[in-house]
Amino acid sequence: FPGLADVSIPQDIPVEGEITVPVGSHSPDEDYSTLDEPVKDTIMRDLKAVGKKFVHVMYPKKSSALLRDWDLWGPLVLCVSLALMLQGGSADSKDDGGPQFAEVFVIIWFGAVVITLNSKLLGGTISFFQSLCVLGYCVMPLTVAMLVCRLVLLAGAGTVSFIIRLIVVGAMFGWSTLASTAFLADSQPPNRKALVVYPIFLFYFVISWMILTFTPQ
Amino acid sequence: ISCLVMYLLAEFDDAANLLAANPDATTISIDEPVEIPKNQHSRLQEPGREEDDELLGTDDSDKTELLAGQKKSAPFWTFEYYQTFFDVDTYQVLDRIKGSVFPVPGKNFVRLYIRSNPDLYGPFWICATLVFTIAVSGNLSNFFIHLGKPTYHYVPEFRKVSIAATTIYAYAWLVPLALWGFLMWRNTKVMNIVSYSFLEIVCVYGYSLFIYIPTAILWIIPQKVVRWVLVVFSLCLSGSVLVMTFWPAVRDDNRRIAVATVATILLLHALLAVGCLAYFFDAPELDLPAPIIPAHNGTTVITRSH
């Protein structure tokens, strides 16, 4: 290649320029570095994302927002608050009381992991963390039920309060199961949907049972 | 017979899952013309017919002549390997559960329902459901039994869940392991026609525990008689499934060992049921008859004499 022998870069002229070729128009996120923004903006953006997901759980509309941008902050907050509220269940001896904080925490996270593994083994197309995200966020109605139960128990612990608690926990259990099924059912093969939905039903049933049988000291 | 074979080929779109009745039967390709399977079928049927027919069922013996399956070829460290254990559809799981609850006399559960496609979905989730059912029912039953007493304070008894989980999962996995090891060891001494893989044994045990789920719910009724009738009834159903599965695997062996094996299987199964009933469910209160007062007779005698 005789022509290339003439090409040389002079040492004194600096070479600079852009390597990237601009494609289309820039969206505001790409050339806005998030390192320079105020901390309040960073936190508010994450909080808004979590809040939007809570709203989606309360009105499950088959939107894919929960699945697309998964995060585990919401499940963590819900799990910790539920475990704290279940703390201090009555016990004559230490062995017969309600679940302790660690037990609730482990049941929720381990149960969610097992259900996710189950749905993936059955051939589901959802990713691991998306499924954990959905299952965790759908614990929210049950956390609300726990709050209501504690308030009702402050007023008294008789038969009437038990019936109120039963109705509230039952309704929230149904809501949780339906919400998570609405999000997760589409990613399963059609002839195995019931096999995937049943463990979710069992999971929320166990959590509802823990909430319903909570008796304060 | 050609019509039967065509019907069977149409029915099973993955005939790859059917197990050959004889381990050394030649495999038959679906692409071959129908006459060849018919000839081989009639030749191979004769030696095995009398022995296995009463437990395979006469309509199964045709189906089990077709292709042996190509399963579980992925290495064990990949995710796909474990997916092969969950390769079941909803209707298959429901069929297997139905087969464990209504045992048909003369039909082997493994041959009829599992057919070399053992799954881990059924055993795992049936055990999980059973654990929570026993814990919840036990708690509810104790609550109703002690309800009227003034000194009774309700406790959720959450510790019992972990005890139930350990017991039931240990039973559902360790007993099949021991049984499988024992059958493998006997196989080296005596040539058995029928042998099961470890997963098939786990499958049978898992599905046979299903009958205890409605039994545990009905154990809430605080009557001793009702509870024991339920124990005997469920033991008969699930025990018969186990016996019909494992009898052909040991009957070629020494008579006493075969009977001892089947008796041990039934004994462990009974022990599980009775143990769960005794530990998780408090004894219901007995209704004592009113004590007879002897003074009443004395006063009537006195009044009559007047």
Side-chain angles (χ1 to χ4, degrees):
Chain A
F1 305 103
L4 282 182
D6 298 335
V7 174
S8 63
I9 299 173
Q11 298 293 337
D12 49 345
I13 300 179
V15 177
E16 59 181 297
E18 284 213 36
I19 296 183
T20 59
V21 178
V23 177
S25 61
H26 284 284
S27 67
D29 287 339
E30 280 182 50
D31 48 17
Y32 180 66
S33 161
T34 58
L35 266 179
D36 293 334
E37 65 179 5
V39 172
K40 185 170 80 92
D41 284 355
T42 314
I43 295 180
M44 284 311 294
R45 187 171 53 237
D46 281 339
L47 278 181
K48 276 193 201 134
V50 170
K52 204 163 66 156
K53 290 201 188 71
F54 278 136
V55 170
H56 274 288
V57 170
M58 295 312 282
Y59 302 109
K61 269 187 326 239
K62 270 201 198 279
S63 78
S64 59
L66 224 79
L67 292 180
R68 219 182 21 235
D69 312 314
W70 60 267
D71 75 275
L72 293 179
W73 283 112
L76 181 67
V77 164
L78 287 171
C79 180
V80 167
S81 55
L82 187 62
L84 279 177
M85 284 196 277
L86 278 170
Q87 182 78 11
S90 77
D92 289 338
S93 73
K94 273 299 155 211
D95 279 345
D96 273 351
Q100 301 302 314
F101 181 93
E103 285 170 331
V104 177
F105 207 83
V106 162
I107 282 185
I108 292 182
W109 285 103
F110 187 63
V113 165
V114 166
I115 292 177
T116 307
L117 278 180
N118 176 64
S119 86
K120 285 188 78 69
L121 282 169
L122 282 170
T125 54
I126 200 171
S127 96
F128 183 76
F129 286 107
Q130 281 174 345
S131 172
L132 278 187
C133 169
V134 169
L135 288 168
Y137 270 103
C138 290
V139 171
M140 194 182 90
L142 287 170
T143 311
V144 169
M146 182 72 219
L147 202 59
V148 170
C149 281
R150 279 213 95 143
L151 292 175
V152 168
L153 278 170
L154 282 178
T159 313
V160 173
S161 92
F162 175 73
I163 293 184
I164 297 177
R165 282 185 288 142
L166 182 63
I167 294 177
V168 168
V169 170
M172 293 298 154
F173 160 62
W175 197 338
S176 282
T177 311
L178 285 174
S180 60
T181 310
F183 288 116
L184 289 177
D186 288 336
S187 61
Q188 304 304 321
N191 47 351
R192 296 180 182 183
K193 278 203 169 50
L195 295 184
V196 173
V197 169
Y198 172 71
I200 299 178
F201 169 87
L202 188 65
F203 176 63
Y204 288 126
F205 178 79
V206 170
I207 298 180
S208 314
W209 176 255
M210 288 197 291
I211 293 174
L212 190 59
T213 60
F214 173 77
T215 48
Q217 201 104 29
Chain B
I1 292 196
S2 61
C3 292
L4 183 63
V5 174
M6 290 308 291
Y7 160 72
L8 291 170
L9 288 174
E11 195 182 59
F12 298 100
D13 49 344
D14 57 336
N17 288 336
L18 296 175
L19 191 67
N22 286 329
D24 51 354
T26 51
T27 58
I28 298 165
S29 158
I30 297 177
D31 294 326
E32 291 178 7
V34 182
E35 294 81 43
I36 298 178
K38 184 180 71 178
N39 291 338
Q40 290 183 330
H41 166 93
S42 51
R43 258 191 291 119
L44 291 170
Q45 199 55 5
E46 304 321 314
R49 190 162 197 120
E50 312 85 47
E51 291 173 87
D52 288 330
D53 247 16
E54 70 268 28
L55 281 165
L56 290 175
T58 44
D59 53 344
D60 269 10
S61 49
D62 290 326
K63 301 172 191 172
T64 53
E65 289 289 332
L66 297 177
L67 275 187
Q70 302 266 43
K71 287 191 62 79
K72 301 176 182 41
S73 52
F76 71 90
W77 56 83
T78 57
F79 192 70
E80 284 73 27
Y81 175 75
Y82 297 101
Q83 269 186 322
T84 57
F85 301 137
F86 283 79
D87 192 17
V88 278
D89 292 337
T90 307
Y91 76 91
Q92 282 176 311
V93 172
L94 291 176
D95 269 347
R96 290 175 186 193
I97 290 177
K98 201 171 50 139
S100 76
V101 174
F102 304 117
V104 179
K107 296 284 175 115
N108 184 334
F109 181 77
V110 174
R111 288 282 171 263
L112 189 55
Y113 290 103
I114 310 278
R115 295 173 188 266
S116 85
N117 184 21
D119 69 303
L120 286 180
Y121 178 90
F124 183 78
W125 287 109
I126 290 177
C127 288
T129 310
L130 187 60
V131 164
F132 288 114
T133 310
I134 284 189
V136 168
S137 304
N139 200 232
L140 269 180
S141 146
N142 292 348
F143 172 70
F144 286 130
I145 285 177
H146 299 294
L147 188 51
K149 297 192 198 134
T151 57
Y152 176 65
H153 184 59
Y154 171 75
V155 286
E157 293 175 322
F158 198 74
R159 287 284 177 278
K160 293 198 170 172
V161 172
S162 40
I163 297 174
T166 315
T167 315
I168 290 179
Y169 273 101
Y171 178 79
W173 288 85
L174 293 183
V175 171
L177 185 66
L179 188 60
W180 175 73
F182 176 76
L183 287 177
M184 285 294 118
W185 174 63
R186 291 312 298 177
N187 256 352
T188 62
K189 306 276 181 85
V190 176
M191 197 60 226
N192 280 322
I193 301 277
V194 177
S195 70
Y196 299 118
S197 72
F198 172 62
L199 282 172
E200 286 171 346
I201 300 183
V202 167
C203 229
V204 174
Y205 264 87
Y207 280 103
S208 73
L209 285 177
F210 179 81
I211 187 69
Y212 287 136
I213 296 176
T215 308
I217 296 176
L218 287 175
W219 274 342
I220 295 179
I221 302 172
Q223 297 292 330
K224 246 189 161 71
V225 173
V226 170
R227 287 180 176 180
W228 281 99
V229 163
L230 284 169
V231 168
V232 168
F233 183 65
S234 58
L235 200 56
C236 282
L237 282 181
S238 58
S240 66
V241 170
L242 289 177
V243 165
M244 281 195 290
T245 304
F246 289 110
W247 180 247
V250 291
R251 72 184 157 186
D252 299 318
D253 206 341
N254 183 355
R255 197 54 156 181
R256 293 159 109 195
I257 293 189
V259 171
T261 309
V262 172
T264 312
I265 291 175
L266 281 178
L267 190 67
L268 285 174
H269 214 60
L271 210 60
L272 179 78
V274 171
C276 283
L277 178 61
Y279 183 73
F280 292 102
F281 295 81
D282 287 346
E285 299 294 295
L286 297 169
D287 281 330
L288 298 169
I292 301 167
I293 306 169
H296 184 70
N297 290 335
T299 51
T300 49
V301 168
I302 294 169
T303 50
R304 275 185 199 149
S305 64
H306 275 289

